[in-house]
């Protein structure tokens, strides 16, 4: 039984005890305020309901000193993810680069600085407001794209992270992240700026910040800003 299940069990036991106590004092029923139920419905309407998801620390614990795929042999650090555990937006990239591998933190190299600029200067949020992670948690050698067997071994942890955070929007950065979340080959230049769904979560596709560094044109900047405005409108 995980920590969340234990907490729910404790709450049920406390509630049972409290109800028995009220019964002793002659209570036959408990009034329920219908408006509070309405508020509850409104509050959760934008987020998919998660069922008994693990916490981020439990997921990290489960990942442990992972050797589920060949990337373990060349990594320095596992790069799990960083940010607000209750974030409305989760950014998903493809895998850690050299600097990320060294520090154990995602998006801290040059592409990371670009992503931080997009979040802070463009979207007007703080980097610590959002959550940032990758499809695979260990660096693919020479920054190559993650391979299918590596994605298959690692992606269940990404799914668990998303369920734990329960965001309103996922932003998929680049083709490998978009293709993994959508379960098909995504043509990112054609499909960026469009909405999709991953297990009930809204997904906005956009370019990877490394692509922006390589092709830093006014047009590409404008396109990414259009995509981020859409993501912002959903939160
Ligand atoms: S990439 Fe993922 S599955 Fe592969 S070793 Fe690293 S943490 Fe484990």
């Amino acid at each position: 039984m995980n920590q969340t299940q234990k907490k729910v069990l404790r709450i049920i036991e406390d509630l049972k005890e409290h109800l028995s106590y009220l019964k002793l004092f002659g209570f036959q029923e408990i009034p329920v305020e219908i408006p509070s139920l309405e508020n509850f419905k409104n509050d959760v309407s934008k987020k998919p309901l998660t069922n008994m998801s693990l916490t981020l620390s439990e997921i990290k614990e489960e990942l442990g000193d992972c050797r589920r795929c060949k990337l373990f042999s060349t990594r320095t650090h596992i790069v799990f993810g960083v940010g607000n555990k209750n974030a409305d937006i989760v950014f998903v990239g493809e895998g850690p680069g050299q600097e990320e591998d060294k520090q154990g933190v995602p998006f801290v190299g040059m592409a990371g600085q670009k992503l931080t600029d997009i979040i802070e200067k463009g979207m007007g949020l703080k980097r610590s407001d959002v959550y940032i992670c990758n499809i695979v948690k260990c660096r693919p050698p020479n920054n190559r794209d993650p391979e299918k067997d590596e994605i298959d071994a690692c992606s269940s942890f990404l799914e668990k992270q998303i369920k734990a955070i329960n965001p309103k929007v996922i932003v998929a950065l680049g083709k490998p992240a978009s293709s993994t979340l959508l379960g098909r080959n995504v043509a990112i230049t054609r499909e960026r700026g469009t909405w999709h769904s991953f297990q009930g979560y809204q997904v906005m596709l956009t370019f990877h910040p490394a692509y922006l560094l390589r092709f830093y044109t006014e047009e590409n900047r404008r396109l990414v800003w259009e995509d981020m405005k859409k993501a912002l409108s959903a939160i």
Side-chain angles (χ1 to χ4, degrees):
M1 188 182 294
N2 65 41
Q3 287 303 318
T4 313
Q5 288 168 322
K6 280 184 198 157
K7 269 187 222 156
V8 172
L9 200 62
R10 255 201 320 273
I11 292 169
I12 293 171
E13 275 162 8
D14 286 351
L15 186 61
K16 259 166 70 183
E17 201 176 310
H18 184 63
L19 290 174
S20 315
Y21 180 76
L22 289 177
K23 207 171 167 191
L24 271 179
F25 282 86
F27 283 87
Q28 296 296 316
E29 58 188 34
I30 297 175
V32 174
E33 289 179 27
I34 298 301
S36 67
L37 290 177
E38 284 305 317
N39 289 346
F40 174 74
K41 272 194 265 171
N42 291 339
D43 197 39
V44 299
S45 62
K46 283 185 147 183
K47 290 187 168 198
L49 288 174
T50 53
N51 38 3
M52 309 300 285
S53 56
L54 299 173
T55 64
L56 289 174
S57 349
E58 285 165 343
I59 299 162
K60 202 168 181 180
E61 204 177 306
E62 189 185 328
L63 190 64
D65 181 30
C66 184
R67 291 166 180 228
R68 291 171 179 85
C69 84
K70 59 187 180 296
L71 292 181
F72 93 88
S73 61
T74 47
R75 74 172 178 232
T76 310
H77 289 108
I78 292 182
V79 181
F80 181 72
V82 73
N84 181 350
K85 61 181 170 46
N86 299 309
D88 283 339
I89 304 189
V90 172
F91 288 87
V92 180
E94 59 198 65
Q98 190 174 25
E99 200 52 41
E100 289 77 14
D101 177 58
K102 214 188 284 173
Q103 296 189 34
V105 182
F107 284 92
V108 286
M110 281 172 68
Q113 186 53 55
K114 178 58 66 191
L115 180 62
T116 306
D117 286 349
I118 292 169
I119 293 165
E120 301 200 335
K121 295 183 187 160
M123 301 172 86
L125 302 169
K126 288 199 218 102
R127 188 175 146 117
S128 55
D129 290 335
V130 305
Y131 194 83
I132 304 172
C133 57
N134 284 302
I135 298 290
V136 294
K137 314 296 185 209
C138 302
R139 182 190 180 205
N142 304 316
N143 294 345
R144 64 159 168 75
D145 287 350
E147 292 171 357
K148 186 177 178 310
D149 59 318
E150 297 156 358
I151 294 172
D152 289 347
C154 209
S155 57
S156 67
F157 292 99
L158 173 70
E159 283 175 34
K160 287 175 189 171
Q161 283 173 298
I162 289 170
K163 281 187 186 152
I165 297 161
N166 198 25
K168 290 178 182 163
V169 179
I170 300 169
V171 176
L173 301 165
K175 181 186 171 78
S178 303
S179 300
T180 300
L181 289 172
L182 270 52
R184 65 174 172 81
N185 189 26
V186 168
I188 193 69
T189 43
R190 190 159 38 83
E191 297 189 66
R192 56 132 287 281
T194 55
W195 283 112
H196 298 268
S197 168
F198 171 75
Q199 300 193 359
Y201 293 93
Q202 305 184 89
V203 181
M204 170 53 54
L205 311 184
T206 194
F207 291 136
H208 193 282
Y211 176 87
L212 274 189
L213 285 177
R214 232 173 296 139
F215 305 100
Y216 194 61
T217 63
E218 196 53 42
E219 175 63 358
N220 284 340
R221 262 181 42 170
R222 186 187 65 76
L223 292 175
V224 171
W225 175 228
E226 291 301 319
D227 304 345
M228 293 308 98
K229 277 198 288 190
K230 288 181 191 168
L232 278 174
S233 73
I235 63 165

Short mmCIF file of all heavy atoms in Angstrom, two decimals, residues 63-73 75 77-80 96 135-140 146 149-155 157, ligand 1:
data_model
loop_
_atom_site.label_atom_id
_atom_site.label_comp_id
_atom_site.label_asym_id
_atom_site.label_seq_id
_atom_site.Cartn_x
_atom_site.Cartn_y
_atom_site.Cartn_z
N LEU A 63 11.96 4.90 -8.97
CA LEU A 63 12.96 4.95 -10.04
C LEU A 63 14.32 4.48 -9.51
O LEU A 63 15.02 3.72 -10.18
CB LEU A 63 13.06 6.39 -10.57
CG LEU A 63 13.86 6.64 -11.82
CD1 LEU A 63 13.25 5.93 -13.01
CD2 LEU A 63 13.94 8.14 -12.10
N GLY A 64 14.63 4.90 -8.29
CA GLY A 64 15.86 4.47 -7.61
C GLY A 64 17.11 4.70 -8.45
O GLY A 64 17.20 5.66 -9.21
N ASP A 65 18.03 3.78 -8.36
CA ASP A 65 19.27 3.84 -9.16
C ASP A 65 19.00 3.05 -10.45
O ASP A 65 19.56 1.99 -10.68
CB ASP A 65 20.40 3.20 -8.34
CG ASP A 65 21.71 3.25 -9.10
OD1 ASP A 65 21.91 4.19 -9.89
OD2 ASP A 65 22.53 2.32 -8.92
N CYS A 66 18.13 3.62 -11.29
CA CYS A 66 17.52 2.86 -12.38
C CYS A 66 18.53 2.32 -13.39
O CYS A 66 19.44 3.02 -13.82
CB CYS A 66 16.51 3.77 -13.08
SG CYS A 66 15.63 2.90 -14.38
N ARG A 67 18.31 1.06 -13.75
CA ARG A 67 19.13 0.43 -14.81
C ARG A 67 18.21 -0.28 -15.78
O ARG A 67 18.53 -1.34 -16.30
CB ARG A 67 20.09 -0.59 -14.17
CG ARG A 67 21.14 0.12 -13.34
CD ARG A 67 21.91 -0.78 -12.43
NE ARG A 67 22.86 0.07 -11.70
CZ ARG A 67 24.13 -0.19 -11.57
NH1 ARG A 67 24.65 -1.29 -12.06
NH2 ARG A 67 24.93 0.63 -10.90
N ARG A 68 17.03 0.32 -15.98
CA ARG A 68 16.03 -0.35 -16.82
C ARG A 68 16.35 -0.26 -18.31
O ARG A 68 15.72 -0.92 -19.10
CB ARG A 68 14.63 0.24 -16.55
CG ARG A 68 14.09 -0.11 -15.16
CD ARG A 68 12.82 0.68 -14.86
NE ARG A 68 12.26 0.37 -13.56
CZ ARG A 68 12.66 0.95 -12.41
NH1 ARG A 68 13.64 1.82 -12.42
NH2 ARG A 68 12.07 0.62 -11.27
N CYS A 69 17.28 0.64 -18.69
CA CYS A 69 17.69 0.68 -20.10
C CYS A 69 19.18 0.99 -20.17
O CYS A 69 19.80 1.35 -19.18
CB CYS A 69 16.86 1.68 -20.90
SG CYS A 69 17.45 3.38 -20.80
N LYS A 70 19.72 0.89 -21.38
CA LYS A 70 21.19 1.00 -21.54
C LYS A 70 21.74 2.39 -21.24
O LYS A 70 22.95 2.54 -21.07
CB LYS A 70 21.60 0.57 -22.96
CG LYS A 70 20.96 1.37 -24.09
CD LYS A 70 21.31 0.75 -25.44
CE LYS A 70 20.72 1.47 -26.64
NZ LYS A 70 19.25 1.47 -26.71
N LEU A 71 20.89 3.40 -21.14
CA LEU A 71 21.40 4.76 -20.88
C LEU A 71 22.04 4.88 -19.49
O LEU A 71 22.78 5.82 -19.23
CB LEU A 71 20.28 5.80 -21.04
CG LEU A 71 19.76 6.01 -22.47
CD1 LEU A 71 18.69 7.07 -22.50
CD2 LEU A 71 20.90 6.40 -23.41
N PHE A 72 21.72 3.93 -18.60
CA PHE A 72 22.28 4.03 -17.24
C PHE A 72 23.82 3.97 -17.28
O PHE A 72 24.49 4.60 -16.48
CB PHE A 72 21.72 2.90 -16.35
CG PHE A 72 22.58 1.68 -16.30
CD1 PHE A 72 23.61 1.55 -15.37
CD2 PHE A 72 22.40 0.64 -17.23
CE1 PHE A 72 24.42 0.42 -15.35
CE2 PHE A 72 23.21 -0.47 -17.21
CZ PHE A 72 24.22 -0.58 -16.28
N SER A 73 24.36 3.26 -18.28
CA SER A 73 25.80 2.99 -18.26
C SER A 73 26.63 4.22 -18.61
O SER A 73 27.83 4.26 -18.32
CB SER A 73 26.13 1.84 -19.22
OG SER A 73 25.76 2.22 -20.52
N ARG A 75 25.43 7.56 -17.98
CA ARG A 75 24.98 8.78 -17.28
C ARG A 75 25.88 9.12 -16.10
O ARG A 75 26.54 8.24 -15.55
CB ARG A 75 23.54 8.58 -16.77
CG ARG A 75 23.50 7.66 -15.57
CD ARG A 75 22.16 7.57 -14.90
NE ARG A 75 22.20 6.65 -13.80
CZ ARG A 75 21.36 5.64 -13.61
NH1 ARG A 75 20.35 5.44 -14.44
NH2 ARG A 75 21.48 4.85 -12.57
N HIS A 77 24.26 11.56 -13.73
CA HIS A 77 23.13 11.68 -12.81
C HIS A 77 21.83 11.32 -13.52
O HIS A 77 21.67 11.62 -14.71
CB HIS A 77 22.98 13.12 -12.30
CG HIS A 77 24.06 13.53 -11.36
ND1 HIS A 77 25.05 14.41 -11.71
CD2 HIS A 77 24.31 13.17 -10.07
CE1 HIS A 77 25.87 14.58 -10.69
NE2 HIS A 77 25.44 13.84 -9.67
N ILE A 78 20.88 10.78 -12.79
CA ILE A 78 19.51 10.69 -13.28
C ILE A 78 18.92 12.09 -13.17
O ILE A 78 19.08 12.76 -12.15
CB ILE A 78 18.69 9.69 -12.43
CG1 ILE A 78 19.19 8.26 -12.65
CG2 ILE A 78 17.20 9.79 -12.77
CD1 ILE A 78 18.41 7.20 -11.90
N VAL A 79 18.25 12.54 -14.23
CA VAL A 79 17.66 13.88 -14.22
C VAL A 79 16.13 13.70 -14.14
O VAL A 79 15.45 13.51 -15.14
CB VAL A 79 18.06 14.66 -15.50
CG1 VAL A 79 17.49 16.05 -15.48
CG2 VAL A 79 19.58 14.70 -15.61
N PHE A 80 15.63 13.75 -12.93
CA PHE A 80 14.24 13.35 -12.69
C PHE A 80 13.25 14.41 -13.16
O PHE A 80 12.33 14.15 -13.93
CB PHE A 80 14.06 13.09 -11.19
CG PHE A 80 12.67 12.65 -10.81
CD1 PHE A 80 12.22 11.38 -11.15
CD2 PHE A 80 11.81 13.51 -10.12
CE1 PHE A 80 10.93 10.97 -10.82
CE2 PHE A 80 10.53 13.10 -9.78
CZ PHE A 80 10.09 11.83 -10.12
N PRO A 96 18.04 14.63 -21.06
CA PRO A 96 19.06 15.55 -20.55
C PRO A 96 20.23 15.71 -21.52
O PRO A 96 20.58 14.76 -22.23
CB PRO A 96 19.54 14.87 -19.26
CG PRO A 96 18.63 13.72 -19.02
CD PRO A 96 17.94 13.39 -20.28
N ILE A 135 11.34 13.02 -21.41
CA ILE A 135 10.85 11.68 -21.72
C ILE A 135 11.76 10.61 -21.11
O ILE A 135 11.30 9.66 -20.51
CB ILE A 135 10.84 11.47 -23.26
CG1 ILE A 135 9.89 12.45 -23.94
CG2 ILE A 135 10.55 10.04 -23.64
CD1 ILE A 135 8.45 12.19 -23.69
N VAL A 136 13.08 10.75 -21.30
CA VAL A 136 14.03 9.84 -20.65
C VAL A 136 14.85 10.62 -19.62
O VAL A 136 15.12 11.80 -19.81
CB VAL A 136 14.97 9.12 -21.65
CG1 VAL A 136 14.21 8.18 -22.55
CG2 VAL A 136 15.80 10.10 -22.45
N LYS A 137 15.19 9.94 -18.55
CA LYS A 137 15.81 10.63 -17.41
C LYS A 137 17.34 10.56 -17.42
O LYS A 137 17.98 11.09 -16.53
CB LYS A 137 15.30 10.04 -16.08
CG LYS A 137 13.80 9.82 -16.00
CD LYS A 137 13.03 11.11 -16.09
CE LYS A 137 11.55 10.89 -15.88
NZ LYS A 137 10.74 11.89 -16.59
N CYS A 138 17.90 9.84 -18.39
CA CYS A 138 19.37 9.76 -18.48
C CYS A 138 19.79 10.26 -19.86
O CYS A 138 19.07 10.10 -20.84
CB CYS A 138 19.85 8.33 -18.29
SG CYS A 138 19.34 7.64 -16.71
N ARG A 139 21.01 10.84 -19.91
CA ARG A 139 21.46 11.48 -21.13
C ARG A 139 21.77 10.47 -22.24
O ARG A 139 22.61 9.58 -22.05
CB ARG A 139 22.73 12.29 -20.83
CG ARG A 139 23.23 13.02 -22.04
CD ARG A 139 24.59 13.63 -21.83
NE ARG A 139 25.01 14.31 -23.04
CZ ARG A 139 26.26 14.53 -23.38
NH1 ARG A 139 27.22 14.12 -22.58
NH2 ARG A 139 26.55 15.15 -24.49
N PRO A 140 21.14 10.63 -23.41
CA PRO A 140 21.57 9.81 -24.55
C PRO A 140 22.94 10.30 -25.02
O PRO A 140 23.16 11.51 -25.12
CB PRO A 140 20.49 10.08 -25.61
CG PRO A 140 19.34 10.66 -24.86
CD PRO A 140 19.94 11.41 -23.71
N PRO A 146 16.48 9.99 -28.02
CA PRO A 146 16.31 8.72 -27.31
C PRO A 146 15.76 7.65 -28.27
O PRO A 146 14.97 7.96 -29.16
CB PRO A 146 15.26 9.04 -26.23
CG PRO A 146 15.05 10.51 -26.26
CD PRO A 146 15.65 11.06 -27.49
N ASP A 149 13.54 1.65 -27.40
CA ASP A 149 13.62 0.80 -26.21
C ASP A 149 13.87 1.63 -24.95
O ASP A 149 13.38 1.30 -23.86
CB ASP A 149 14.70 -0.29 -26.38
CG ASP A 149 16.07 0.31 -26.63
OD1 ASP A 149 16.18 1.27 -27.40
OD2 ASP A 149 17.05 -0.17 -26.02
N GLU A 150 14.60 2.75 -25.10
CA GLU A 150 14.87 3.63 -23.95
C GLU A 150 13.58 4.37 -23.55
O GLU A 150 13.26 4.48 -22.35
CB GLU A 150 15.97 4.63 -24.31
CG GLU A 150 17.30 3.95 -24.63
CD GLU A 150 18.23 4.77 -25.51
OE1 GLU A 150 17.86 5.88 -25.94
OE2 GLU A 150 19.32 4.27 -25.81
N ILE A 151 12.86 4.84 -24.55
CA ILE A 151 11.59 5.54 -24.26
C ILE A 151 10.60 4.57 -23.62
O ILE A 151 9.95 4.89 -22.62
CB ILE A 151 11.00 6.15 -25.56
CG1 ILE A 151 11.92 7.25 -26.08
CG2 ILE A 151 9.59 6.67 -25.33
CD1 ILE A 151 11.55 7.79 -27.44
N ASP A 152 10.54 3.35 -24.16
CA ASP A 152 9.61 2.35 -23.60
C ASP A 152 9.94 2.05 -22.14
O ASP A 152 9.05 1.89 -21.32
CB ASP A 152 9.67 1.05 -24.41
CG ASP A 152 9.03 1.21 -25.78
OD1 ASP A 152 8.34 2.24 -25.99
OD2 ASP A 152 9.23 0.33 -26.64
N ALA A 153 11.26 2.00 -21.84
CA ALA A 153 11.66 1.66 -20.46
C ALA A 153 11.37 2.80 -19.49
O ALA A 153 11.10 2.58 -18.32
CB ALA A 153 13.14 1.32 -20.43
N CYS A 154 11.41 4.03 -20.00
CA CYS A 154 11.38 5.19 -19.09
C CYS A 154 10.03 5.91 -19.04
O CYS A 154 9.72 6.58 -18.05
CB CYS A 154 12.46 6.18 -19.51
SG CYS A 154 13.10 7.16 -18.15
N SER A 155 9.22 5.77 -20.09
CA SER A 155 8.07 6.69 -20.20
C SER A 155 7.00 6.48 -19.13
O SER A 155 6.21 7.39 -18.85
CB SER A 155 7.45 6.63 -21.60
OG SER A 155 7.07 5.32 -21.86
N PHE A 157 7.49 6.44 -16.09
CA PHE A 157 7.79 7.38 -15.01
C PHE A 157 7.29 8.78 -15.34
O PHE A 157 6.82 9.50 -14.48
CB PHE A 157 9.30 7.37 -14.70
CG PHE A 157 9.72 6.07 -14.10
CD1 PHE A 157 10.33 5.09 -14.89
CD2 PHE A 157 9.46 5.78 -12.77
CE1 PHE A 157 10.67 3.86 -14.35
CE2 PHE A 157 9.80 4.56 -12.21
CZ PHE A 157 10.41 3.59 -13.01
S1 LIG B 1 16.65 6.51 -19.10
FE1 LIG B 1 15.02 6.01 -17.66
S2 LIG B 1 14.76 3.78 -17.86
FE2 LIG B 1 16.75 4.28 -18.75
S3 LIG B 1 18.19 3.97 -17.07
FE3 LIG B 1 17.63 6.15 -17.11
S4 LIG B 1 15.94 6.33 -15.65
FE4 LIG B 1 16.16 4.15 -16.16
#
